[in-house]
Amino acid sequence: QVQLVESGGGLVQPGGSLRLSCAASGSIFSINAMGWYRQASEKQRERVATITTGGSTNYTDSVKGRFTISRDNAKNTVYLQMNGLKPDDTAVYACNVFALTRESGLLRWRNYWGQGTQVTVSS
């Protein structure tokens, strides 16, 4: 079993900052890509940012220059620093990891999701 625990969401005024964290724990042998996704009310889930084991990053266009994704491989943790927040950034943010874990005696790669944390940008 793998657990992803997120923290750092909340209410912030436009132009403000938040830092999201997501720590993975459990029967993890290796983690490949890690990322953050968001889903606003009545909209489809959107990929926000991803980061590879080697540190290569990718961002959706709307957050480039404002958000920064990073990871601590020793802690199996991924972060999302969000600056210059806008009302359009309001959504539930969830982390995702692609991890090698043991299930029923077998090693396999799987995607795991956090429970999500609410980010609300409003004055």
Side-chain angles (χ1 to χ4, degrees):
Q1 284 281 19
V2 174
Q3 297 81 38
L4 301 182
V5 178
E6 299 158 346
S7 61
L11 172 65
V12 64
Q13 292 186 342
S17 298
L18 285 174
R19 188 188 192 216
L20 305 182
S21 299
C22 173
S25 62
S27 301
I28 299 171
F29 288 83
S30 181
I31 294 179
N32 194 326
M34 307 179 84
W36 288 95
Y37 293 71
R38 67 186 180 186
Q39 186 166 17
S41 178
E42 299 182 359
K43 292 187 177 180
Q44 288 189 332
R45 185 170 62 194
E46 173 188 34
R47 178 182 58 83
V48 177
T50 58
I51 184 168
T52 67
T53 304
S56 296
T57 58
N58 193 281
Y59 298 91
T60 191
D61 286 345
S62 62
V63 308
K64 286 180 180 178
R66 300 188 297 123
F67 291 10
T68 302
I69 189 171
S70 61
R71 62 191 283 173
D72 185 332
N73 292 328
K75 296 181 179 179
N76 288 341
T77 299
V78 61
Y79 306 94
L80 186 67
Q81 177 66 45
M82 304 184 293
N83 299 327
L85 282 161
K86 305 175 181 179
D88 283 350
D89 295 318
T90 295
V92 175
Y93 286 69
C95 64
N96 171 271
V97 302
F98 188 53
L100 179 65
T101 62
R102 184 185 296 277
E103 293 184 8
S104 302
L106 299 176
L107 290 176
R108 60 179 61 188
W109 288 95
R110 277 191 57 188
N111 270 310
Y112 293 89
W113 290 91
Q115 79 283 2
T117 184
Q118 177 70 45
V119 171
T120 302
V121 184
S122 175
S123 55

